[in-house]
Amino acid sequence: MKAVVIGDALVKSETLTDAVGQMNLGKLTEIKKIEWYSDLTKDQFQEHILQIERYGPEKVEIPQGILEALQDADYLFAHYAPISASMIKSAPKLKMIGTCRGGVENVNLSAVRERRLPFLHVIRNAEPVADFTLGLMFAETRNIARAHLAIKSGQWRKNFSNDPYKTTLANMTVGIIGAGYIGRLVIKRLNALGVKVMVYDPYVDPAIFERDQLKVELRSIEEVFKNADIVSLHMRVTEETKNLISKDLIQLMRPGAYIINTARADILVKDDLVAALQNRKIAGAALDVSWIEPIPEGDPLLSLDNLTMTTHIAGDTVDAIPRAPYLLKDVVNAYLEKGYSDMLIR
């Protein structure tokens, strides 16, 4: 049997090959290494990351030599490289696909499902993103970043636009939109802090919350936006979720409510969020993701005094990416042993 691995500038093919060698795939006669912009620096590679996140696997260049390599491949493992319809079509023997990242924008899921292939992925930075999400909740609701900026600018600022609503997190209700792996880690942290949690996710089996011992109230998306003090977004961008959060939902929010987004910018309609913040329809927002990165000069986001922004760093810890291939190894081996996985997408 043959496995094909695709390395890139962040996850080298040698590391991925080592992890695949520890998978219980049976007797592998060959692990073929393919490269996708592996010679770039992390900063140079960022442009290709943004392209594939925005346009998907069919609109970017596929790895050189991949179609030939896949002709007799049984397994395909990658990180950020595109997994396109043409790649899947060229691999008639393929038994499984795996990627060592949480997002699936680089994979043509329709082509995967048409072939009924098991597709496994890992949330390599789930813990860092969950931690960062709570950090943004504190930073925005308690004006931590704004107070810091004021001090650095020579001001000793004590008053902020959300003064009428300031309270502790324990007094708030947090609404989670999307209760996948990261969403559930955020819920776990909120439960530990005694925070009431509402959840909207039509795709998650409610039994999972009981299995993971999570205390939540399941609500419609309208109920979450109407009743939560903080709405935190944890969805992938799909045809169903793109621009899902628009003025129709934002107008349901309380004046003292906040939006937190550590997922993807395209979940939100930018103009509707900006208008709500400019008009003080909601108290504030915190974003780790933006519609254009870096944010260009003159962008209306930069003039908002009730918005906290970070530079897409929620999952950026020293150990997240190096561990990713080995997390995938664990997920694959558990799936092969048990026949199911939370990280399986069909």
Side-chain angles (χ1 to χ4, degrees):
M1 290 191 293
K2 173 183 174 182
V4 173
V5 304
I6 309 175
D8 59 41
L10 300 181
V11 172
K12 300 303 182 183
S13 58
E14 291 80 6
T15 307
L16 198 47
T17 296
D18 184 59
V20 170
Q22 299 176 40
M23 295 178 184
N24 302 325
L25 301 173
K27 187 175 181 180
L28 288 176
T29 57
E30 181 184 4
I31 301 178
K32 175 69 174 178
K33 292 187 285 188
I34 298 289
E35 308 298 336
W36 191 67
Y37 300 115
S38 300
D39 57 338
L40 300 183
T41 66
K42 181 179 178 180
D43 288 342
Q44 290 169 335
F45 189 58
Q46 185 64 32
E47 178 60 31
H48 297 284
I49 291 175
L50 294 175
Q51 290 296 311
I52 204 163
E53 287 184 349
R54 183 166 292 275
Y55 301 114
E58 305 301 331
K59 301 294 185 181
V60 298
E61 184 177 359
I62 64 174
Q64 187 174 4
I66 188 65
L67 298 182
E68 295 79 8
L70 286 171
Q71 288 177 4
D72 57 348
D74 299 277
Y75 302 98
L76 171 61
F77 299 103
H79 177 230
Y80 247 112
I83 299 176
S84 68
S86 64
M87 290 169 59
I88 294 170
K89 185 177 180 180
S90 72
K93 295 176 59 181
L94 207 57
K95 298 180 177 68
M96 178 190 293
I97 297 172
T99 59
C100 49
R101 62 182 298 261
V104 295
E105 302 93 340
N106 59 319
V107 181
N108 188 320
L109 291 180
S110 296
V112 172
R113 288 169 176 146
E114 187 176 337
R115 283 279 300 276
R116 297 186 177 180
L117 288 168
F119 167 46
L120 293 157
H121 69 139
V122 295
I123 314 295
R124 64 166 192 239
N125 53 9
E127 296 281 352
V129 173
D131 288 346
F132 201 91
T133 300
L134 258 69
L136 286 184
M137 291 180 187
F138 286 116
E140 175 56 32
T141 62
R142 299 299 303 278
N143 303 297
I144 295 171
R146 278 186 282 278
H148 172 77
L149 178 63
I151 292 171
K152 298 285 282 187
S153 303
Q155 306 171 52
W156 194 257
R157 188 175 176 187
K158 302 282 283 186
N159 302 110
F160 303 92
S161 64
N162 64 347
D163 282 351
Y165 314 110
K166 281 189 298 189
T167 186
T168 63
L169 190 61
N171 288 333
M172 295 180 171
T173 295
V174 175
I176 302 293
I177 307 297
Y181 190 54
I182 293 176
R184 295 200 300 275
L185 286 176
V186 175
I187 294 168
K188 180 180 178 180
R189 286 156 170 74
L190 292 168
N191 282 173
L193 293 171
V195 179
K196 181 179 177 181
V197 179
M198 294 179 173
V199 169
Y200 168 76
D201 192 326
Y203 303 105
V204 170
D205 184 350
I208 288 177
F209 301 111
E210 184 175 351
R211 181 201 70 184
D212 293 348
Q213 298 181 314
L214 299 175
K215 294 174 60 178
V216 302
E217 296 179 6
L218 301 179
R219 295 285 186 264
S220 69
I221 192 169
E222 291 82 7
E223 288 175 314
V224 171
F225 273 82
K226 191 177 296 183
N227 295 298
D229 300 292
I230 299 174
V231 176
S232 190
L233 308 180
H234 300 282
M235 299 174 292
R236 295 195 300 267
V237 176
T238 66
E239 290 302 316
E240 291 76 23
T241 63
K242 188 172 184 179
N243 295 327
L244 176 66
I245 312 304
S246 65
K247 61 182 178 181
D248 292 338
L249 289 171
I250 295 172
Q251 69 181 2
L252 299 176
M253 298 178 74
R254 300 172 178 178
Y258 303 85
I259 291 176
I260 310 292
N261 190 8
T262 54
R264 291 289 183 264
D266 286 341
I267 296 166
L268 274 163
V269 178
K270 178 181 178 180
D271 290 346
D272 293 350
L273 176 66
V274 169
L277 293 171
Q278 288 175 335
N279 299 327
R280 306 292 196 231
K281 175 67 186 70
I282 60 176
L287 311 176
D288 183 53
V289 289
S290 184
W291 294 264
I292 300 175
E293 297 179 7
I295 299 172
E297 185 178 352
D299 191 295
L301 293 171
L302 301 177
S303 63
L304 295 167
D305 189 39
N306 51 357
L307 174 65
T308 298
M309 294 179 290
T310 52
T311 54
H312 206 157
I313 54 173
D316 190 7
T317 59
V318 295
D319 54 351
I321 291 177
R323 290 177 56 228
Y326 300 100
L327 291 176
L328 179 61
K329 177 260 298 183
D330 292 340
V331 167
V332 168
N333 287 344
Y335 170 73
L336 293 171
E337 179 184 347
K338 299 176 183 177
Y340 68 90
S341 171
D342 285 348
M343 298 293 101
L344 175 67
I345 297 179
R346 290 189 182 273

